[in-house]
Coordinates of all heavy atoms in Angstrom, one line a residue:
M171 N 0.8 -1.2 0.0 CA 0.0 0.0 0.0 C 0.9 1.2 0.0 O 2.1 1.3 0.5 CB -0.9 0.0 1.2 CG -1.8 -1.2 1.3 SD -2.9 -1.4 -0.1 CE -4.3 -0.3 0.4
S172 N 0.3 2.3 -0.5 CA 1.2 3.5 -0.6 C 0.8 4.6 0.3 O 1.0 5.8 0.1 CB 1.1 4.0 -2.1 OG -0.3 4.3 -2.3
E173 N 0.1 4.3 1.5 CA -0.4 5.3 2.3 C 0.7 6.1 3.0 O 0.4 7.2 3.5 CB -1.4 4.7 3.3 CG -0.8 3.6 4.2 CD -1.9 2.8 4.9 OE1 -2.9 2.4 4.1 OE2 -1.7 2.6 6.1
L174 N 2.0 5.6 3.0 CA 3.0 6.3 3.6 C 3.4 7.5 2.6 O 4.1 8.4 3.0 CB 4.2 5.4 3.8 CG 4.1 4.4 4.9 CD1 5.3 3.6 5.0 CD2 3.9 5.2 6.3
H175 N 3.1 7.3 1.4 CA 3.5 8.3 0.3 C 2.5 9.3 -0.1 O 2.8 10.3 -0.7 CB 4.1 7.6 -0.9 CG 5.1 6.6 -0.5 ND1 6.4 6.9 -0.2 CD2 5.1 5.2 -0.6 CE1 7.0 5.8 0.0 NE2 6.3 4.8 -0.2
C176 N 1.3 9.1 0.4 CA 0.3 10.2 0.1 C -0.5 10.4 1.3 O -0.8 9.6 2.1 CB -0.5 9.9 -1.2 SG -1.5 8.4 -0.8
P177 N -1.0 11.7 1.4 CA -1.9 12.0 2.6 C -3.2 11.2 2.4 O -3.6 11.0 1.3 CB -2.1 13.5 2.5 CG -1.8 13.8 1.1 CD -0.9 12.9 0.6
S178 N -3.8 10.9 3.6 CA -5.1 10.3 3.5 C -6.1 11.1 4.3 O -5.7 11.8 5.2 CB -5.1 8.8 4.1 OG -4.7 8.9 5.4
C179 N -7.3 11.0 3.9 CA -8.4 11.8 4.5 C -8.5 11.5 6.0 O -8.6 10.4 6.4 CB -9.7 11.4 3.8 SG -11.2 12.2 4.5
G180 N -8.6 12.6 6.7 CA -8.7 12.4 8.2 C -10.0 11.9 8.6 O -10.3 11.6 9.8
S181 N -11.0 11.8 7.7 CA -12.3 11.4 8.1 C -12.7 10.0 7.6 O -13.4 9.3 8.4 CB -13.3 12.3 7.4 OG -14.6 11.8 7.4
C182 N -12.1 9.6 6.5 CA -12.5 8.2 6.0 C -11.2 7.4 5.6 O -11.3 6.3 5.3 CB -13.5 8.3 4.9 SG -12.8 8.9 3.3
G183 N -10.0 8.1 5.6 CA -8.9 7.3 5.3 C -8.5 7.1 3.8 O -7.6 6.4 3.4
F184 N -9.4 7.7 2.9 CA -9.2 7.7 1.5 C -7.9 8.3 1.1 O -7.6 9.4 1.5 CB -10.3 8.4 0.8 CG -10.4 8.3 -0.7 CD1 -10.8 7.1 -1.3 CD2 -9.8 9.4 -1.4 CE1 -10.8 7.1 -2.8 CE2 -9.8 9.3 -2.8 CZ -10.3 8.2 -3.5
P185 N -7.0 7.6 0.3 CA -5.8 8.2 -0.1 C -5.9 9.2 -1.1 O -6.7 9.1 -2.1 CB -4.9 7.0 -0.7 CG -6.0 6.0 -1.0 CD -7.2 6.2 -0.2
M186 N -5.3 10.4 -0.9 CA -5.6 11.6 -1.8 C -4.3 11.9 -2.6 O -3.3 12.3 -2.0 CB -6.0 12.8 -1.0 CG -7.3 12.5 -0.2 SD -7.9 13.8 0.9 CE -6.6 13.9 2.1
R187 N -4.3 11.6 -3.9 CA -3.2 11.8 -4.7 C -3.2 13.0 -5.6 O -2.2 13.5 -5.9 CB -3.0 10.5 -5.6 CG -2.8 9.2 -4.8 CD -2.6 8.0 -5.7 NE -2.4 6.8 -5.0 CZ -3.4 6.1 -4.5 NH1 -4.6 6.4 -4.8 NH2 -3.1 4.9 -3.8
E188 N -4.4 13.3 -6.0 CA -4.5 14.5 -7.0 C -5.3 15.6 -6.2 O -6.1 15.3 -5.4 CB -5.3 14.0 -8.2 CG -5.1 12.6 -8.6 CD -4.7 12.6 -10.1 OE1 -4.9 13.6 -10.7 OE2 -4.2 11.6 -10.5
P189 N -5.0 16.8 -6.7 CA -5.8 17.9 -6.1 C -7.2 17.7 -6.1 O -8.0 18.0 -5.2 CB -5.4 19.1 -7.0 CG -4.0 18.8 -7.5 CD -4.0 17.2 -7.7
A190 N -7.8 17.1 -7.2 CA -9.3 16.8 -7.2 C -9.8 15.8 -6.2 O -10.9 15.8 -6.0 CB -9.6 16.2 -8.7
D191 N -8.8 15.1 -5.6 CA -9.2 14.1 -4.5 C -9.5 14.8 -3.2 O -10.1 14.3 -2.3 CB -8.1 13.1 -4.3 CG -8.0 12.1 -5.4 OD1 -8.9 11.9 -6.2 OD2 -6.9 11.6 -5.6
F192 N -9.0 16.1 -3.1 CA -9.2 16.8 -1.9 C -10.5 17.6 -1.8 O -10.9 18.1 -2.9 CB -8.0 17.8 -1.7 CG -6.7 17.1 -1.4 CD1 -5.9 16.7 -2.5 CD2 -6.2 17.0 -0.2 CE1 -4.7 16.1 -2.3 CE2 -4.9 16.4 0.0 CZ -4.2 15.9 -1.0
A193 N -11.0 17.8 -0.7 CA -12.2 18.7 -0.5 C -11.9 20.1 -1.1 O -10.9 20.7 -0.7 CB -12.6 18.8 0.9
G194 N -12.7 20.6 -2.0 CA -12.6 21.9 -2.6 C -11.3 22.0 -3.4 O -11.0 23.1 -3.9
G195 N -10.7 20.8 -3.8 CA -9.5 20.8 -4.7 C -8.3 21.4 -4.0 O -7.3 21.8 -4.6
D196 N -8.4 21.5 -2.6 CA -7.3 22.1 -1.9 C -6.5 21.1 -1.1 O -6.9 20.5 -0.1 CB -8.0 23.1 -0.8 CG -7.0 23.8 0.1 OD1 -5.7 23.5 -0.2 OD2 -7.3 24.5 1.0
P197 N -5.2 20.9 -1.5 CA -4.4 19.9 -0.9 C -4.1 20.2 0.6 O -3.6 19.3 1.2 CB -3.1 20.0 -1.8 CG -3.4 20.6 -3.1 CD -4.6 21.6 -2.7
D198 N -4.4 21.3 1.1 CA -4.2 21.6 2.5 C -5.4 21.2 3.3 O -5.4 21.4 4.5 CB -3.8 23.1 2.7 CG -2.5 23.5 2.1 OD1 -1.6 22.6 2.2 OD2 -2.3 24.6 1.7
S199 N -6.4 20.8 2.6 CA -7.7 20.5 3.4 C -7.6 19.5 4.4 O -8.1 19.7 5.6 CB -8.7 20.1 2.3 OG -9.9 19.6 3.0
G200 N -7.0 18.4 4.1 CA -7.0 17.3 5.1 C -8.1 16.4 5.0 O -8.1 15.3 5.7
F201 N -9.0 16.7 4.1 CA -10.2 15.8 3.9 C -10.4 15.6 2.4 O -10.0 16.4 1.6 CB -11.5 16.4 4.5 CG -11.4 16.7 6.0 CD1 -11.3 18.0 6.4 CD2 -11.4 15.7 6.9 CE1 -11.2 18.3 7.8 CE2 -11.2 16.0 8.2 CZ -11.1 17.2 8.6
C202 N -11.0 14.4 2.1 CA -11.2 14.1 0.7 C -12.5 14.8 0.2 O -13.3 15.4 0.9 CB -11.3 12.5 0.5 SG -12.9 11.9 1.1
A203 N -12.7 14.7 -1.1 CA -13.8 15.4 -1.8 C -15.1 14.8 -1.3 O -16.2 15.5 -1.4 CB -13.7 15.3 -3.2
T204 N -15.1 13.6 -0.8 CA -16.3 13.0 -0.3 C -16.7 13.5 1.1 O -17.9 13.7 1.3 CB -16.1 11.4 -0.2 OG1 -15.9 10.9 -1.5 CG2 -17.4 10.7 0.3
C205 N -15.7 13.7 1.9 CA -16.0 14.1 3.3 C -16.1 15.5 3.5 O -16.6 16.1 4.5 CB -15.0 13.4 4.2 SG -15.0 11.6 4.1
G206 N -15.4 16.3 2.6 CA -15.3 17.8 2.8 C -16.2 18.5 1.8 O -16.6 17.9 0.7
D207 N -16.5 19.7 2.1 CA -17.3 20.5 1.1 C -16.4 21.3 0.1 O -15.2 21.2 0.1 CB -18.3 21.4 1.8 CG -17.5 22.5 2.7 OD1 -16.4 22.7 2.5 OD2 -18.1 23.1 3.6
D208 N -17.0 22.2 -0.6 CA -16.2 23.0 -1.6 C -15.3 23.9 -1.1 O -14.4 24.4 -1.7 CB -17.2 23.7 -2.6 CG -18.0 22.8 -3.5 OD1 -17.7 21.6 -3.5 OD2 -19.0 23.2 -4.0
H209 N -15.4 24.1 0.3 CA -14.5 25.1 0.9 C -13.4 24.3 1.8 O -12.7 24.9 2.5 CB -15.2 26.0 1.9 CG -16.3 26.8 1.1 ND1 -16.0 27.8 0.3 CD2 -17.7 26.6 1.1 CE1 -17.2 28.2 -0.3 NE2 -18.2 27.6 0.3
G210 N -13.4 22.9 1.6 CA -12.4 22.2 2.3 C -12.7 21.9 3.8 O -12.0 21.4 4.5
Q211 N -14.0 22.2 4.2 CA -14.4 22.0 5.5 C -15.1 20.6 5.6 O -15.8 20.3 4.7 CB -15.5 23.1 6.0 CG -14.9 24.5 5.8 CD -13.7 24.7 6.9 OE1 -13.8 24.4 8.1 NE2 -12.6 25.2 6.4
L212 N -14.9 19.9 6.8 CA -15.6 18.6 6.9 C -17.0 18.7 7.0 O -17.6 19.6 7.7 CB -15.1 18.1 8.3 CG -15.4 16.6 8.6 CD1 -14.8 15.6 7.5 CD2 -15.0 16.3 10.0
R213 N -17.7 17.8 6.2 CA -19.2 17.8 6.2 C -19.7 17.3 7.6 O -19.0 16.7 8.3 CB -19.7 17.0 5.1 CG -19.4 17.5 3.7 CD -20.1 16.6 2.7 NE -19.4 16.6 1.4 CZ -19.7 17.5 0.4 NH1 -20.7 18.4 0.6 NH2 -19.1 17.5 -0.7
P214 N -21.0 17.5 7.8 CA -21.6 16.9 9.1 C -21.5 15.4 9.0 O -21.5 14.9 8.0 CB -23.1 17.4 9.0 CG -23.1 18.6 8.1 CD -22.0 18.4 7.1
Y215 N -21.4 14.8 10.2 CA -21.3 13.4 10.3 C -22.2 12.6 9.5 O -21.9 11.7 8.8 CB -21.5 13.0 11.8 CG -21.2 11.6 12.0 CD1 -20.0 10.9 12.2 CD2 -22.4 10.6 12.1 CE1 -19.8 9.6 12.4 CE2 -22.2 9.3 12.3 CZ -20.9 8.8 12.5 OH -20.8 7.4 12.7
D216 N -23.6 12.9 9.6 CA -24.6 12.2 8.8 C -24.3 12.2 7.3 O -24.5 11.3 6.6 CB -26.0 12.7 9.1 CG -26.5 12.3 10.5 OD1 -25.8 11.5 11.1 OD2 -27.4 12.9 10.9
A217 N -23.8 13.4 6.7 CA -23.6 13.5 5.4 C -22.4 12.6 4.9 O -22.4 12.0 3.9 CB -23.3 14.9 5.0
V218 N -21.3 12.6 5.9 CA -20.2 11.8 5.5 C -20.5 10.3 5.6 O -20.1 9.6 4.8 CB -19.1 12.2 6.5 CG1 -17.9 11.2 6.4 CG2 -18.6 13.6 6.3
L219 N -21.4 9.9 6.6 CA -21.8 8.6 6.8 C -22.5 8.1 5.5 O -22.3 7.1 5.0 CB -22.7 8.4 8.1 CG -23.1 7.1 8.4 CD1 -22.0 6.2 8.9 CD2 -24.3 7.1 9.4
E220 N -23.4 8.9 5.0 CA -24.2 8.6 3.8 C -23.3 8.4 2.7 O -23.5 7.5 1.8 CB -25.3 9.6 3.5 CG -26.5 9.6 4.6 CD -27.1 8.2 4.6 OE1 -27.4 7.6 3.5 OE2 -27.5 7.7 5.7
A221 N -22.4 9.4 2.5 CA -21.5 9.4 1.3 C -20.7 8.1 1.3 O -20.4 7.5 0.3 CB -20.6 10.6 1.3
N222 N -20.1 7.8 2.5 CA -19.3 6.6 2.6 C -20.1 5.3 2.4 O -19.6 4.3 1.9 CB -18.4 6.6 3.9 CG -17.2 7.5 3.8 OD1 -16.2 7.1 3.3 ND2 -17.3 8.7 4.3
A223 N -21.3 5.3 2.9 CA -22.2 4.1 2.8 C -22.5 3.9 1.3 O -22.5 2.8 0.8 CB -23.5 4.3 3.6
A224 N -22.7 5.1 0.5 CA -23.0 4.9 -0.9 C -21.8 4.3 -1.6 O -22.0 3.6 -2.5 CB -23.3 6.4 -1.4
Y225 N -20.6 4.7 -1.1 CA -19.4 4.2 -1.7 C -19.3 2.6 -1.5 O -19.0 1.9 -2.5 CB -18.1 4.8 -1.0 CG -16.8 4.3 -1.4 CD1 -16.2 4.7 -2.6 CD2 -16.3 3.2 -0.8 CE1 -15.0 4.2 -3.0 CE2 -15.0 2.7 -1.2 CZ -14.4 3.2 -2.3 OH -13.2 2.6 -2.8
Y226 N -19.6 2.1 -0.4 CA -19.6 0.7 -0.2 C -20.6 0.0 -1.0 O -20.4 -1.0 -1.5 CB -19.9 0.4 1.4 CG -18.7 0.6 2.2 CD1 -18.7 1.5 3.3 CD2 -17.5 -0.2 2.0 CE1 -17.6 1.6 4.1 CE2 -16.4 0.0 2.8 CZ -16.4 0.9 3.9 OH -15.3 1.1 4.7
V227 N -21.8 0.6 -1.1 CA -22.9 0.0 -1.9 C -22.3 -0.1 -3.4 O -22.4 -1.2 -4.1 CB -24.2 0.9 -2.0 CG1 -25.1 0.3 -3.0 CG2 -24.8 0.7 -0.5
R228 N -21.7 0.9 -3.9 CA -21.2 1.0 -5.2 C -20.0 0.1 -5.4 O -20.0 -0.7 -6.4 CB -20.8 2.5 -5.5 CG -20.8 2.8 -7.0 CD -20.7 4.3 -7.2 NE -19.5 4.9 -6.6 CZ -19.4 5.8 -5.7 NH1 -20.5 6.4 -5.2 NH2 -18.3 6.3 -5.1
E229 N -19.0 0.1 -4.5 CA -17.8 -0.6 -4.8 C -17.9 -2.0 -4.2 O -17.1 -2.8 -4.8 CB -16.6 0.1 -4.0 CG -16.4 1.5 -4.6 CD -15.9 1.6 -5.9 OE1 -15.2 0.7 -6.3 OE2 -16.4 2.5 -6.7
Q230 N -18.7 -2.4 -3.3 CA -18.7 -3.7 -2.8 C -19.9 -4.4 -2.9 O -20.1 -5.6 -2.6 CB -18.2 -3.6 -1.3 CG -16.9 -3.0 -1.1 CD -16.4 -3.3 0.3 OE1 -16.9 -4.0 1.1 NE2 -15.3 -2.5 0.7
G231 N -21.0 -3.7 -3.4 CA -22.2 -4.4 -3.8 C -23.0 -4.9 -2.6 O -23.8 -5.8 -2.7
V232 N -22.7 -4.3 -1.4 CA -23.5 -4.7 -0.2 C -24.8 -3.8 -0.1 O -24.9 -2.9 -0.8 CB -22.6 -4.4 1.1 CG1 -21.4 -5.3 1.1 CG2 -22.3 -3.0 1.2
N233 N -25.7 -4.3 0.7 CA -27.0 -3.5 0.8 C -26.8 -2.3 1.6 O -25.8 -2.1 2.2 CB -28.2 -4.4 1.2 CG -28.0 -4.9 2.7 OD1 -27.5 -4.1 3.5 ND2 -28.4 -6.1 2.9
A234 N -27.8 -1.4 1.6 CA -27.7 -0.1 2.2 C -27.5 -0.2 3.7 O -26.7 0.5 4.3 CB -29.0 0.7 1.9
E235 N -28.2 -1.2 4.3 CA -28.0 -1.4 5.7 C -26.5 -1.8 6.2 O -26.0 -1.2 7.1 CB -29.0 -2.5 6.3 CG -30.4 -1.9 6.5 CD -30.5 -0.8 7.6 OE1 -30.0 -1.1 8.7 OE2 -30.9 0.3 7.3
A236 N -26.1 -2.8 5.5 CA -24.7 -3.3 5.7 C -23.7 -2.2 5.4 O -22.7 -2.0 6.1 CB -24.4 -4.5 4.9
A237 N -23.9 -1.4 4.4 CA -23.0 -0.4 4.0 C -23.0 0.7 5.0 O -21.9 1.2 5.4 CB -23.5 0.3 2.6
R238 N -24.1 1.0 5.7 CA -24.2 2.0 6.7 C -23.3 1.5 8.0 O -22.6 2.3 8.6 CB -25.6 2.4 7.1 CG -25.7 3.7 7.8 CD -27.1 4.1 7.8 NE -27.5 4.7 6.5 CZ -28.6 4.3 5.8 NH1 -29.4 3.4 6.4 NH2 -29.0 4.8 4.8
E239 N -23.5 0.3 8.3 CA -22.7 -0.3 9.4 C -21.2 -0.2 9.1 O -20.4 0.1 10.0 CB -23.1 -1.8 9.6 CG -24.5 -1.9 10.3 CD -24.6 -1.0 11.6 OE1 -23.7 -1.1 12.4 OE2 -25.5 -0.2 11.7
L240 N -20.8 -0.6 7.9 CA -19.4 -0.5 7.5 C -18.9 0.9 7.7 O -17.8 1.1 8.2 CB -19.2 -1.0 6.1 CG -19.3 -2.6 5.9 CD1 -19.3 -2.9 4.4 CD2 -18.2 -3.3 6.5
A241 N -19.7 1.8 7.2 CA -19.3 3.2 7.2 C -19.2 3.8 8.7 O -18.2 4.4 9.0 CB -20.3 4.1 6.4
R242 N -20.1 3.3 9.5 CA -20.1 3.7 10.8 C -18.8 3.3 11.6 O -18.2 4.0 12.3 CB -21.4 3.2 11.6 CG -21.9 4.1 12.7 CD -22.9 3.4 13.5 NE -24.0 2.9 12.7 CZ -25.1 3.5 12.4 NH1 -25.2 4.8 12.8 NH2 -26.1 3.0 11.6
A243 N -18.5 2.0 11.3 CA -17.3 1.4 11.9 C -16.0 2.1 11.4 O -15.2 2.3 12.2 CB -17.2 -0.1 11.6
L244 N -16.1 2.3 10.2 CA -14.9 3.1 9.6 C -14.7 4.5 10.2 O -13.6 4.8 10.7 CB -15.1 3.2 8.1 CG -14.0 4.1 7.4 CD1 -12.7 3.4 7.4 CD2 -14.4 4.5 6.0
L245 N -15.8 5.3 10.2 CA -15.6 6.6 10.8 C -15.3 6.6 12.2 O -14.5 7.5 12.7 CB -17.0 7.4 10.5 CG -17.4 7.6 9.1 CD1 -18.6 8.4 9.0 CD2 -16.3 8.1 8.3
A246 N -15.7 5.6 13.0 CA -15.4 5.6 14.4 C -14.0 5.4 14.7 O -13.5 5.7 15.8 CB -16.2 4.4 15.1
S247 N -13.3 4.8 13.7 CA -11.8 4.6 13.9 C -10.9 5.7 13.4 O -9.8 5.7 13.5 CB -11.4 3.3 13.2 OG -11.4 3.5 11.7
M248 N -11.5 6.8 12.7 CA -10.8 7.8 12.2 C -10.6 9.1 13.1 O -11.6 9.4 13.9 CB -11.5 8.3 10.8 CG -11.6 7.2 9.8 SD -10.0 6.5 9.4 CE -9.1 8.0 8.8
P249 N -9.5 9.7 13.0 CA -9.2 10.9 13.8 C -10.3 12.0 13.9 O -10.5 12.6 14.9 CB -7.8 11.4 13.4 CG -7.4 10.6 12.2 CD -8.4 9.4 12.0
A250 N -10.8 12.2 12.7 CA -11.8 13.3 12.6 C -13.0 13.1 13.5 O -13.6 14.0 13.9 CB -12.2 13.6 11.2
W251 N -13.3 11.8 13.7 CA -14.6 11.4 14.4 C -14.4 10.8 15.8 O -15.3 10.5 16.5 CB -15.4 10.5 13.5 CG -15.7 11.1 12.2 CD1 -15.2 10.7 11.0 CD2 -16.5 12.3 11.9 NE1 -15.7 11.5 10.0 CE2 -16.5 12.4 10.6 CE3 -17.3 13.1 12.7 CZ2 -17.2 13.5 9.9 CZ3 -18.0 14.1 12.1 CH2 -18.0 14.3 10.7
K252 N -13.0 10.5 16.1 CA -12.9 9.8 17.3 C -13.5 10.5 18.5 O -14.1 9.9 19.4 CB -11.4 9.6 17.6 CG -11.0 8.2 17.2 CD -9.5 7.9 17.7 CE -9.3 6.4 17.3 NZ -7.9 6.2 16.9
S253 N -13.3 11.8 18.6 CA -13.7 12.6 19.7 C -15.3 12.6 19.8 O -16.0 12.8 20.8 CB -13.3 14.0 19.7 OG -13.6 14.6 18.5
A254 N -15.9 12.4 18.6 CA -17.4 12.4 18.5 C -18.0 11.0 18.7 O -19.3 11.0 18.9 CB -17.9 13.0 17.1
A255 N -17.2 10.0 18.7 CA -17.7 8.6 18.8 C -18.3 8.5 20.3 O -17.6 8.8 21.3 CB -16.6 7.6 18.6
P256 N -19.5 8.0 20.4 CA -20.2 7.9 21.7 C -19.6 6.7 22.6 O -19.7 6.8 23.8 CB -21.6 7.6 21.3 CG -21.6 6.9 19.9 CD -20.3 7.5 19.3
S257 N -19.0 5.8 22.0 CA -18.6 4.6 22.8 C -17.5 4.8 23.7 O -17.5 4.4 24.9 CB -18.4 3.4 21.8 OG -17.4 3.8 20.9
H258 N -16.4 5.4 23.3 CA -15.3 5.6 24.1 C -14.9 7.0 24.2 O -13.9 7.5 23.6 CB -14.0 4.8 23.6 CG -14.3 3.3 23.6 ND1 -14.3 2.6 24.8 CD2 -14.6 2.4 22.6 CE1 -14.6 1.3 24.6 NE2 -14.8 1.2 23.3
P259 N -15.5 7.8 25.1 CA -15.1 9.2 25.2 C -13.7 9.3 25.8 O -13.4 8.6 26.7 CB -16.1 9.7 26.1 CG -16.9 8.6 26.7 CD -16.6 7.4 25.9
R260 N -12.9 10.3 25.3 CA -11.6 10.4 25.7 C -11.5 11.8 26.5 O -11.9 12.8 25.9 CB -10.6 10.3 24.7 CG -10.6 8.9 24.1 CD -9.7 8.9 22.8 NE -8.3 9.3 23.0 CZ -7.3 9.1 22.3 NH1 -7.6 8.3 21.2 NH2 -6.1 9.4 22.5
N261 N -10.8 11.7 27.6 CA -10.7 13.0 28.4 C -9.1 13.2 28.6 O -8.6 12.7 29.6 CB -11.4 12.9 29.7 CG -12.8 12.7 29.6 OD1 -13.5 13.4 28.9 ND2 -13.3 11.6 30.2
P262 N -8.5 13.8 27.7 CA -7.1 14.0 27.8 C -6.6 14.8 29.0 O -7.4 15.7 29.4 CB -6.7 14.7 26.5 CG -7.9 15.3 26.0 CD -9.1 14.5 26.5
Ligands
ZN143 ZN1 -12.9 11.2 3.3

């Protein structure tokens, strides 16, 4: 895998290689075009969850329910959402 060589989305882990892969086409965004809006800002959790679920449906052929569970598990492990995850609140 090449994740050491290209930045990945802080929200879903998608590797971003081209400017068009970044939210708003901005390589400084830190989020991919799926998770960020046209200004490079992270979209609301529900929007990101739906977008990633749609990705699983499209790429893996799973049904909508299973896709949403996969997306939920993925987002729960990502830095952008860790603090928002209800299961393991962290108090630094
Ligand atoms: Zn993303």
Side-chain angles (χ1 to χ4, degrees):
M171 302 301 278
S172 58
E173 55 198 48
L174 291 178
H175 302 290
C176 65
S178 60
C179 175
S181 164
C182 74
F184 183 81
M186 302 179 293
R187 297 183 179 85
E188 325 235 345
D191 291 337
F192 293 83
D196 176 6
D198 291 329
S199 164
F201 302 110
C202 73
T204 299
C205 299
D207 62 18
D208 290 345
H209 304 287
Q211 302 297 308
L212 188 61
R213 294 184 203 270
Y215 181 84
D216 285 348
V218 173
L219 183 69
E220 287 302 320
N222 280 278
Y225 174 86
Y226 281 119
V227 170
R228 202 168 59 236
E229 298 295 322
Q230 300 190 15
V232 298
N233 67 38
E235 278 299 303
R238 199 165 284 125
E239 286 307 311
L240 287 170
R242 212 190 305 272
L244 171 72
L245 296 187
S247 71
M248 297 307 299
W251 303 111
K252 260 192 175 139
S253 59
S257 51
H258 294 289
R260 293 172 60 161
N261 302 306

